[in-house]
C-alpha cells in the first residue's frame, strides 16, 4: 500500500528557472499549485572588459543538473516519490546568446549576456542601413535595434571569434538562447538532442517575425546570420523531447517560456489589459494585449507573450524593460561592500526612511525603456556630508521604483487605460520597504502573491498543460487562486510627484557619458571623455563606502 503522504500529492510538475544570477529547480503539485520543494545554485558572471558581461554555458548547464538532483533528494527525504514528476518546464533569462559545437557539445564561446554592451558600434552601423522612413526591423520584430537582443550578439561572435567562424564554415555550429542550450543538452546533446526554442524566446532575437511566427529571411539577411544555425520554433506548451540522464530520465520537457512571459502566465494574466511587474536582475513590466500586436509610441517593446499549444493562438504583450533592478543590490554588496547580504538593504533603508535628497540612476548598461539610451551611465547625485550608506541604500530602492513608474506611464499612454493596481513578483518583492515605496511612487496599490515563484509556476503550468501530459488545466475555473498581499499608497500624490520630477532631472544628467567606441573596445581611455563631475561623484561614493565599511561616522 502506498504511503498516504506519497499518494496525496498526486501528479507533480518540475520547473527549471535559469536566471542571470542563479538557477533553480522547483516542483509543484499540478492540482493545487503548491510548491513542494526547490533548490537554488548561484552563478558567476564575468566582466572581461568595460560593458562586457559573459557567463559559462557549461556552468549554467551543470547548475541545472545540480538543482534537479538536490530537489529530488529533498523530495525523497519528504517521502515523496519522484516518479510523480510527470513533466518539466523551462524558463530562462532571455536574449543571452550561446553558440556551440553540435559534434562535441562544447560551447564555442562564453554566453554573451543580455546586459552586454559590446555591440554598440555594430548597432550604429546597422542603423545606417535602415531607411529612415521604414524601420522594417521594428515592424517585423516589435523591437528597437539595440545591444539588448540576440542577433547583434551573434553577429559579434561571427565577426570576432575564430572558433565560431570555423565551426560555421564546417557546418558544426548551433545557435540558441539559454533555453535552446539547456533543452538540447538535457534531451541528449550530441546523441540526438533536440535543437529548439519557443515563440517567446525566438521573439527576443530580432530574427523572428512576430506576425508569421517564423524565422524571417529578410531579417537574417540583414544581420547576415546563416539560417541553418537557428533552432526549430515550437509553441510554449508541447513535448519537445525526453530528459536523457539523471534522476528525471525519461520525463518529458513540455513547457518553455522566456522568464518574463512565464511570470505573466504564473500571475494568470490571461485577459487583455492584465499586467505584471517582475523584480529580478532587471525589472520587466508586461501587459497582455490579447491576440493583436500593439506597437508602442512611448519606447516599449512588442513581444510574444505565450502560445500555449501547437494549435493554440499566440498572445502578445507590451513590455517595458529596465536593465538594472536587483543588480543594483548586488553591486552595493559586491562592488561597494556597504551590505554583506542582499537582505541587508531593507534594514539600512528602514533605518532612515528617506534618501535625504540623494538620487541614484543605476544606468550601468545604459538606459532601456522608455529611453533606449546606450550612452547613459550610473550616477549618484544630491550627495552632502550628511549622506551615509543608509541613504544610498534607500536611493537604490527608490531608483527601482522610479524606473517602474516610467515604464508604467508609457504603458498607460500606449494602452489608453491606466492600470488601477500593479501585480508584482520576483525575488525583490520580499523587501517590504521596496513594495511600500513602489505603491507610494506609483500612487496605486501594489499586489504581491504570498507565493512569489510565479516565473517557475508559469513554466510548470505550460509543461503540465501540454498535449500528451495534460495534468494541469488552464481553464479559468480550474486555476488555483493565489493569495495576495496588498500595499496601499501612504504618501500624498504631491510628494510623489516632486520626488519623481527630481528623479527625472537625475536621469537627464546620466545621459551622454560614453561614446560607442569606448564601450565596445573596453578602452581605459573611456575615462578621458568623462566630465569632472564623474570623478567627484565616484570619489564621494568610494569615500562613503570606505568610511562606513570601517565603521567611521
Amino acid at each position: 500500500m502506498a504511503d498516504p503522504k506519497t499518494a496525496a500529492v498526486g501528479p507533480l510538475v518540475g520547473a527549471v528557472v535559469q536566471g542571470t544570477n542563479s538557477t533553480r529547480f522547483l516542483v509543484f503539485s499540478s492540482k493545487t499549485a503548491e510548491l513542494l520543494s526547490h533548490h537554488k545554485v548561484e552563478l558567476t558572471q564575468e566582466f572581461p572588459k568595460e560593458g562586457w558581461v559573459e557567463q559559462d554555458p557549461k556552468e549554467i548547464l551543470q547548475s541545472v543538473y545540480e538543482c534537479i538532483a538536490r530537489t529530488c533528494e529533498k523530495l525523497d527525504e519528504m517521502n515523496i516519490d519522484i516518479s510523480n514528476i510527470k513533466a518539466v518546464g523551462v524558463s530562462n533569462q532571455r536574449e543571452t546568446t550561446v553558440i556551440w559545437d553540435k559534434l562535441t557539445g562544447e560551447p564555442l564561446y562564453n554566453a554573451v549576456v543580455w546586459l552586454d554592451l559590446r555591440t554598440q558600434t555594430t548597432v550604429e552601423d546597422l542603423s545606417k542601413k535602415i531607411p529612415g522612413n521604414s524601420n522594417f526591423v521594428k515592424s517585423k520584430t516589435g523591437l528597437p535595434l539595440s545591444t539588448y537582443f540576440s542577433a547583434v550578439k551573434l553577429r559579434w561572435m561571427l565577426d570576432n571569434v575564430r572558433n565560431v567562424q570555423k565551426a560555421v564554415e564546417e557546418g558544426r555550429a548551433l545557435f540558441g538562447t539559454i533555453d535552446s542550450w539547456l533543452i538540447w543538452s538535457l534531451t541528449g546533446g550530441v546523441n540526438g538532442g533536440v535543437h529548439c526554442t519557443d515563440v517567446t524566446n525566438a521573439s527576443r532575437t530580432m530574427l523572428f517575425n512576430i506576425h508569421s511566427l517564423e524565422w524571417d529571411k529578410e531579417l537574417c539577411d540583414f544581420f547576415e546570420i546563416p539560417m541553418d544555425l537557428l533552432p526549430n520554433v515550437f509553441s510554449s506548451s508541447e513535448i519537445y523531447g525526453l530528459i536523457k540522464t539523471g534522476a528525471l530520465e525519461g520525463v518529458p520537457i513540455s513547457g518553455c517560456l522566456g522568464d518574463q512571459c512565464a511570470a505573466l502566465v504564473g500571475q494568470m494574466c490571461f485577459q487583455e489589459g492584465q499586467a505584471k511587474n517582475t523584480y529580478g536582475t532587471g525589472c520587466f513590466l508586461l501587459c497582455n494585449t490579447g491576440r493583436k500586436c500593439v506597437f508602442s509610441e512611448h519606447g516599449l517593446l512588442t513581444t510574444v507573450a505565450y502560445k500555449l499549444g501547437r494549435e493554440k493562438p499566440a498572445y502578445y504583450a507590451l513590455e517595458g524593460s529596465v536593465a538594472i533592478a536587483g543588480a543594483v543590490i548586488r553591486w552595493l554588496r559586491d562592488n561597494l561592500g556597504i551590505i554583506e547580504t542582499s537582505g541587508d538593504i531593507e534594514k539600512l533603508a528602514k533605518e532612515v526612511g528617506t534618501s535625504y535628497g540623494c538620487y541614484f540612476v543605476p544606468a550601468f548598461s545604459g538606459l532601456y525603456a522608455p529611453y533606449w539610451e546606450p550612452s547613459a551611465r550610473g550616477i549618484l547625485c544630491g550627495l552632502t556630508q550628511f549622506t551615509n550608506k543608509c541613504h544610498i541604500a534607500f536611493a537604490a530602492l527608490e531608483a527601482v521604483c522610479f524606473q517602474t513608474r516610467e515604464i508604467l506611464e508609457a504603458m498607460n499612454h500606449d494602452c489608453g487605460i491606466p492600470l488601477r493596481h500593479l501585480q508584482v513578483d520576483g525575488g525583490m518583492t520580499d523587501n517590504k520597504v521596496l513594495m511600500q515605496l513602489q505603491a507610494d511612487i506609483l500612487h496605486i496599490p501594489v499586489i504581491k502573491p504570498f507565493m512569489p515563484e510565479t516565473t517557475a509556476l508559469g513554466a510548470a503550468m505550460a509543461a503540465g498543460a501540454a498535449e500528451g501530459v495534460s495534468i494541469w488545466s488552464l481553464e479559468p475555473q480550474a486555476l488555483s487562486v493565489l493569495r495576495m498581499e496588498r500595499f496601499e499608497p501612504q504618501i500624498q500624490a504631491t510628494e510623489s510627484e516632486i520626488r519623481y520630477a527630481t528623479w527625472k532631472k537625475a536621469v537627464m544628467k546620466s545621459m551622454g557619458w560614453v561614446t560607442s567606441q569606448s564601450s565596445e573596445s573596453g578602452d581605459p581611455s573611456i575615462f578621458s571623455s568623462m566630465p569632472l563631475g564623474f570623478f567627484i561623484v565616484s570619489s564621494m561614493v568610494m569615500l562613503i563606502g570606505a568610511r562606513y565599511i570601517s565603521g567611521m561616522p
Side-chain angles (χ1 to χ4, degrees):
M1 181 175 167
D3 183 286
K5 188 174 183 182
T6 304
V9 296
L12 308 179
V13 182
V16 173
V17 179
Q18 203 301 295
T20 316
N21 292 321
S22 67
T23 298
R24 290 169 292 151
F25 184 68
L26 306 93
V27 175
F28 296 88
S29 164
S30 64
K31 300 305 177 191
T32 65
E34 178 189 359
L35 174 59
L36 297 177
S37 186
H38 63 95
H39 189 72
K40 174 180 175 180
V41 172
E42 292 227 349
L43 297 170
T44 55
Q45 294 176 31
E46 299 174 27
F47 307 95
K49 293 184 181 181
E50 172 73 22
W52 292 29
V53 189
E54 297 179 359
Q55 289 182 302
D56 180 354
K58 292 174 76 174
E59 181 192 357
I60 290 172
L61 178 60
Q62 185 54 43
S63 72
V64 171
Y65 285 127
E66 182 180 342
C67 285
I68 291 173
R70 290 290 295 117
T71 304
C72 289
E73 288 170 14
K74 291 176 184 180
L75 289 171
D76 189 53
E77 289 165 7
M78 296 164 65
N79 206 22
I80 295 173
D81 189 344
I82 62 170
S83 67
N84 284 325
I85 299 174
K86 304 301 182 185
V88 168
V90 173
S91 168
N92 57 286
Q93 53 170 311
R94 302 169 301 169
E95 301 95 19
T96 296
T97 300
V98 187
I99 191 161
W100 67 95
D101 188 320
K102 67 183 178 184
L103 300 183
T104 66
E106 291 293 311
L108 295 163
Y109 191 74
N110 271 345
V112 178
V113 176
W114 57 277
L115 286 164
D116 189 279
L117 291 175
R118 75 187 68 187
T119 55
Q120 185 53 38
T121 296
T122 305
V123 168
E124 290 174 3
D125 291 344
L126 287 166
S127 295
K128 294 169 188 171
K129 294 166 60 177
I130 298 176
N133 60 350
S134 173
N135 189 342
F136 73 95
V137 174
K138 186 169 185 181
S139 66
K140 288 186 175 209
T141 67
L143 310 174
L145 198 55
S146 166
T147 60
Y148 183 14
F149 307 108
S150 309
V152 291
K153 302 178 194 299
L154 178 55
R155 181 68 259 151
W156 184 90
M157 291 186 192
L158 292 168
D159 289 339
N160 294 279
V161 182
R162 182 57 194 147
N163 280 351
V164 171
Q165 294 165 352
K166 193 166 186 293
V168 170
E169 289 163 8
E170 295 173 2
R172 295 183 283 111
L174 295 177
F175 152 79
T177 42
I178 292 293
D179 58 303
S180 297
W181 163 242
L182 294 181
I183 293 172
W184 183 83
S185 300
L186 290 167
T187 58
V190 296
N191 298 309
V194 179
H195 186 214
C196 70
T197 188
D198 89 302
V199 291
T200 67
N201 282 295
S203 74
R204 310 297 290 194
T205 61
M206 277 199 304
L207 301 171
F208 186 73
N209 187 314
I210 61 173
H211 309 285
S212 66
L213 302 180
E214 295 174 327
W215 298 121
D216 190 286
K217 187 176 185 308
E218 185 183 13
L219 291 169
C220 290
D221 288 346
F222 175 72
F223 290 103
E224 298 180 70
I225 304 294
M227 294 187 77
D228 58 2
L229 300 182
L230 307 179
N232 293 314
V233 183
F234 297 134
S235 76
S236 310
S237 179
E238 61 181 279
I239 295 175
Y240 313 114
L242 305 181
I243 296 175
K244 291 295 173 66
T245 187
L248 298 183
E249 184 176 351
V251 174
I253 300 176
S254 53
C256 181
L257 290 148
D259 51 8
Q260 304 313 319
C261 300
L264 193 74
V265 171
Q267 286 265 27
M268 300 173 201
C269 294
F270 293 127
Q271 302 301 313
E272 189 174 335
Q274 286 187 296
K276 67 87 205 173
N277 196 36
T278 298
Y279 300 75
T281 300
C283 214
F284 303 90
L285 179 59
L286 270 72
C287 180
N288 188 331
T289 63
R291 292 166 65 175
K292 62 182 183 295
C293 294
V294 175
F295 283 86
S296 173
E297 296 179 3
H298 300 90
L300 303 182
L301 312 176
T302 304
T303 197
V304 180
Y306 53 82
K307 186 178 187 292
L308 296 174
R310 190 177 300 181
E311 304 303 324
K312 298 288 179 67
Y315 283 74
Y316 296 89
L318 275 175
E319 176 176 336
S321 309
V322 170
I324 303 294
V328 75
I329 314 304
R330 188 168 179 163
W331 182 79
L332 290 175
R333 183 192 71 189
D334 297 346
N335 291 39
L336 288 194
I338 67 172
I339 56 174
E340 290 184 8
T341 69
S342 297
D344 290 345
I345 194 165
E346 183 173 8
K347 299 173 197 166
L348 291 182
K350 198 172 183 178
E351 259 184 59
V352 287
T354 175
S355 68
Y356 202 76
C358 169
Y359 286 83
F360 190 171
V361 182
F364 302 153
S365 296
L367 290 167
Y368 283 15
Y371 302 101
W372 297 105
E373 181 49 70
S375 73
R377 286 297 180 271
I379 63 167
L380 267 168
C381 54
L383 302 178
T384 69
Q385 285 184 308
F386 182 73
T387 306
N388 64 35
K389 63 181 178 180
C390 297
H391 300 119
I392 292 173
F394 194 94
L397 295 183
E398 265 193 327
V400 175
C401 300
F402 287 133
Q403 290 178 105
T404 296
R405 175 162 171 176
E406 287 186 312
I407 56 178
L408 184 71
E409 288 189 346
M411 197 160 281
N412 286 341
H413 285 305
D414 283 325
C415 294
I417 304 171
L419 289 177
R420 295 186 178 182
H421 65 262
L422 182 64
Q423 291 175 234
V424 301
D425 56 68
M428 291 186 77
T429 61
D430 289 339
N431 186 323
K432 291 186 183 295
V433 172
L434 175 69
M435 292 295 94
Q436 186 56 56
L437 266 174
Q438 190 67 87
D440 290 343
I441 288 166
L442 296 179
H443 221 69
I444 59 174
V446 168
I447 299 174
K448 165 188 177 289
F450 279 102
M451 199 289 290
E453 299 288 359
T454 52
T455 300
L457 180 59
M461 289 165 66
E467 185 178 345
V469 178
S470 302
I471 58 172
W472 202 312
S473 174
L474 299 183
E475 294 302 318
Q477 65 273 17
L479 293 173
S480 301
V481 177
L482 296 176
R483 291 174 55 240
M484 299 288 190
E485 184 176 6
R486 190 178 178 96
F487 296 84
E488 298 282 351
Q490 292 183 354
I491 66 172
Q492 295 294 319
T494 49
E495 182 185 342
S496 175
E497 293 302 322
I498 290 166
R499 283 158 65 177
Y500 183 54
T502 310
W503 154 264
K504 299 280 273 188
K505 281 170 59 180
V507 170
M508 292 300 110
K509 294 181 186 297
S510 77
M511 296 183 188
W513 288 89
V514 293
T515 63
S516 59
Q517 287 77 13
S518 57
S519 67
E520 185 152 341
S521 66
D523 188 342
S525 65
I526 184 173
F527 295 105
S528 66
S529 64
M530 295 293 189
L532 178 61
F534 170 82
F535 295 101
I536 294 171
V537 171
S538 299
S539 300
M540 292 184 75
V541 170
M542 288 188 282
L543 174 63
I544 290 166
R547 288 175 62 190
Y548 283 92
I549 294 165
S550 63
M552 292 174 62

